[in-house]
Amino acid sequence: MALTDDLTSLYNRRGFLRAGNRLLSAAHREERWALLFYIDVDDLKSTNDSAGHAAGDSLLTRTAQVLRSVFRDTDVIGR
């Protein structure tokens, strides 16, 4: 079963839950904090509707690139 999203190469729901649970377990074991950020891409549907799905896909891939550049390799990023 796939753990990553084909378009963005970020974790999909299944991958995010697995990796996130591992991260939370490690944080609990080591008595460390963990943070969860939720980011919403505003008006993605209207981008798809007005400019087409290729434009929406581009928006998602660019967003994924920004997230990968901001967060550490050890952080869990999902779509």
Side-chain angles (χ1 to χ4, degrees):
M1 289 195 197
L3 298 177
T4 58
D5 174 67
D6 287 338
L7 178 66
T8 62
S9 298
L10 297 178
Y11 281 120
N12 62 18
R13 182 179 188 275
R14 180 180 297 108
F16 178 79
L17 290 174
R18 284 187 186 176
N21 281 328
R22 281 195 307 267
L23 186 138
L24 288 175
S25 293
H28 180 70
R29 217 176 23 255
E30 298 168 12
E31 298 181 354
R32 299 184 71 188
W33 287 92
L35 297 174
L36 174 68
F37 291 91
Y38 177 85
I39 299 168
D40 182 29
V41 178
D42 285 337
D43 297 322
L44 177 60
K45 182 181 180 334
S46 65
T47 299
N48 282 336
D49 292 346
S50 64
H53 287 273
D57 289 352
S58 178
L59 177 60
L60 288 171
T61 57
R62 288 193 325 246
T63 301
Q65 290 168 350
V66 169
L67 292 174
R68 279 193 295 272
S69 74
V70 171
F71 290 97
R72 303 169 297 189
D73 290 339
T74 56
D75 293 332
V76 177
I77 306 170
R79 172 176 176 210

